[in-house]
Amino acid sequence: MSFALSFTTSRTLREASKKGVQLYRRVMKAGPKVINVYGLDITTQQYRDKIREEFRKHQHLEDKDTVDMLVFKGEQEFQETIEVWKTKSHVLQYFITPKEEDSDSFLQRFFDGKT
């Protein structure tokens, strides 16, 4: 068990992308373990779909420093998840889409002075 992440800056975009692919594979492989450890009420397919969606958001990036930063942040999140340093609610935030507040919500009426 190592607590400190060791990370080196990539020399090329190709190297940075390779690190991203390696992270992607490890995160995908860990799906069943994450679901089991945190007792998530999602399927492995739902887990993998969400992870795939998150990685695809950034597949167009051309700057190696940006890719390195995202890979480093991903490594941190992954380590915190695997080491169970997060709570179930922290992990669930990635899988639950926030509800849109309806315009007739209590707070909106309150701020508009229409209580």
Side-chain angles (χ1 to χ4, degrees), residues 34-79:
V34 170
I35 291 168
N36 186 34
V37 167
Y38 287 97
L40 303 179
D41 192 26
I42 61 171
T43 65
T44 303
Q45 189 59 46
Q46 289 171 316
Y47 171 92
R48 290 186 173 143
D49 289 344
K50 185 62 176 178
I51 298 301
R52 186 176 301 111
E53 175 186 322
E54 291 298 316
F55 272 82
R56 286 198 175 162
K57 281 182 188 177
H58 305 290
Q59 77 182 42
H60 67 281
L61 294 175
E62 301 281 333
D63 179 37
K64 74 172 180 64
D65 294 328
T66 305
V67 174
D68 270 347
M69 187 247 337
L70 288 171
V71 170
F72 180 74
K73 284 185 171 189
E75 292 282 0
Q76 283 182 316
E77 290 291 327
F78 183 59
Q79 181 182 17

Side-chain angles (χ1 to χ4, degrees), residues 18-33:
K18 185 177 179 181
K19 289 179 184 178
V21 169
Q22 290 169 343
L23 172 62
Y24 175 79
R25 288 180 178 158
R26 285 198 331 276
V27 172
M28 288 299 234
K29 233 182 202 181
K33 179 181 178 182

Side-chain angles (χ1 to χ4, degrees), residues 12 15 46-47 61 77 83 105 111:
T12 65
E15 185 180 337
Q46 289 171 316
Y47 171 92
L61 294 175
E77 290 291 327
E83 300 286 342
S105 71
F111 291 135

